[in-house]
Amino acid sequence: MSEPHNSSTPNQDRNTENWFTSWFDTPYYHILYKDRNYREAQIFMDNLTHYLNLPEKAKVLDLACGKGRHSIYLNQLGYDVLGADLSENSIAEASKNSNDHLHFKVHDMREPFEEKFDAIFNLFTSFGYFENDDDNLTTLKAIKESLSDYGFAVIDFMNVNQVIETLVPQEVKTVDGIDFHIKRYVEDGHIFKEIDFEDQGRKFHFTEKVKALSLKDFQELMDEAGIYLLDIFGDYKLKKFHKTESERLIMIFK
């Protein structure tokens, strides 16, 4: 995901229900976030798979994979990878990279898979989107159900304490000639990012919305789901997590 995401098409009200089903399917989402650090993502995958000591050809699920940048690299590392995402457009794009050991499918993360995986990765703050908070617990239970007996799962989330402390209220980001006017704020336990722009004579508005889940919140959800939290890291180099300073909240569990 981007950091903190509902969407409204032009002239619609600003309802945030299931915003992710349409925002992720627009070309503008991928334009706005085109400059992500791919090398950093690869280093994270190198460190993570080494830490987990995954066997050769391990079955890996990249849950909420987007266009598959992590899935593709994990496959290059020698793993049997399935990338899953709710966005049909993203999966269509990712599927252009499919091979015998790399596949993609449209899937709702709230639903468990019939097949079992040696590792399940939910990366780049791709959790906490749902309007109904119960769906966060449902998703964790689905992840647990989809793990093999010896499998591990990873959630890479933002560190909400650090994000809120350093939140930039407003900025303009210009990408491919489009001026994205971005407003950020915290409300009702969620981090919002409102995005306004014009393109080809049309005005657009989208709102990203993510539940501001702290480590304590995750621990409570995992306890309820019967999940064992094994380790916590604070960045992609797998350094120790610090509540106020770490950029990421990376949780290893089973």
Side-chain angles (χ1 to χ4, degrees), residues 163-178:
V163 167
I164 292 172
E165 182 66 26
T166 60
L167 203 65
V168 177
Q170 295 187 55
E171 70 171 317
V172 178
K173 184 177 181 181
T174 303
V175 187
D176 289 357
I178 301 173

Side-chain angles (χ1 to χ4, degrees), residues 150-190:
Y150 302 101
F152 296 93
V154 180
I155 290 179
D156 160 36
F157 200 69
M158 60 182 166
N159 176 14
V160 295
N161 301 297
Q162 193 263 357
V163 167
I164 292 172
E165 182 66 26
T166 60
L167 203 65
V168 177
Q170 295 187 55
E171 70 171 317
V172 178
K173 184 177 181 181
T174 303
V175 187
D176 289 357
I178 301 173
D179 294 329
F180 292 92
H181 296 262
I182 299 170
K183 179 182 177 182
R184 300 178 181 88
Y185 57 94
V186 181
E187 185 177 286
D188 296 331
H190 292 79

Side-chain angles (χ1 to χ4, degrees), residues 98-250:
S98 297
N99 59 49
D100 290 344
H101 298 286
L102 175 62
H103 301 91
F104 296 93
K105 70 180 295 185
V106 175
H107 183 86
D108 189 320
M109 68 169 66
R110 290 169 286 193
E111 299 292 332
F113 286 78
E114 290 186 11
E115 56 190 306
K116 305 299 181 185
F117 297 90
D118 300 308
I120 298 177
F121 296 156
N122 179 252
L123 306 170
F124 208 63
T125 309
S126 298
F127 193 93
Y129 300 166
F130 307 111
E131 281 300 304
N132 185 346
D133 286 345
D134 291 342
D135 286 337
N136 295 320
L137 179 60
T138 299
T139 299
L140 284 175
K141 289 180 176 178
I143 290 173
K144 182 187 177 187
E145 284 185 47
S146 303
L147 282 173
S148 66
D149 290 342
Y150 302 101
F152 296 93
V154 180
I155 290 179
D156 160 36
F157 200 69
M158 60 182 166
N159 176 14
V160 295
N161 301 297
Q162 193 263 357
V163 167
I164 292 172
E165 182 66 26
T166 60
L167 203 65
V168 177
Q170 295 187 55
E171 70 171 317
V172 178
K173 184 177 181 181
T174 303
V175 187
D176 289 357
I178 301 173
D179 294 329
F180 292 92
H181 296 262
I182 299 170
K183 179 182 177 182
R184 300 178 181 88
Y185 57 94
V186 181
E187 185 177 286
D188 296 331
H190 292 79
I191 297 174
F192 287 82
K193 180 189 288 184
E194 294 194 21
I195 304 162
D196 291 277
F197 59 94
E198 293 186 26
D199 186 41
Q200 298 179 6
R202 299 178 65 196
K203 292 184 177 181
F204 294 86
H205 171 83
F206 293 97
T207 304
E208 303 182 356
K209 175 183 176 182
V210 178
K211 182 76 172 177
L213 293 164
S214 66
L215 174 57
K216 183 175 181 290
D217 294 326
F218 273 108
Q219 288 172 323
E220 291 174 354
L221 285 168
M222 289 179 179
D223 284 345
E224 192 170 350
I227 283 171
Y228 298 97
L229 182 57
L230 303 173
D231 219 337
I232 308 163
F233 300 107
D235 65 18
Y236 292 146
K237 296 180 180 178
L238 304 188
K239 293 182 180 178
K240 183 179 178 180
F241 175 76
H242 292 278
K243 182 178 178 180
T244 58
E245 298 174 13
S246 295
E247 295 182 357
R248 310 300 301 168
L249 171 60
I250 299 167

Side-chain angles (χ1 to χ4, degrees), residues 6-37:
N6 157 26
S7 72
S8 300
T9 51
N11 302 321
Q12 286 185 332
D13 62 27
R14 298 192 175 192
N15 175 20
T16 59
E17 186 172 0
N18 292 342
W19 55 266
F20 47 88
T21 59
S22 52
W23 173 222
F24 289 164
D25 258 345
T26 73
Y28 298 109
Y29 168 77
H30 299 288
I31 291 171
L32 178 57
Y33 298 112
K34 67 183 292 185
D35 294 328
R36 289 171 171 166
N37 191 327

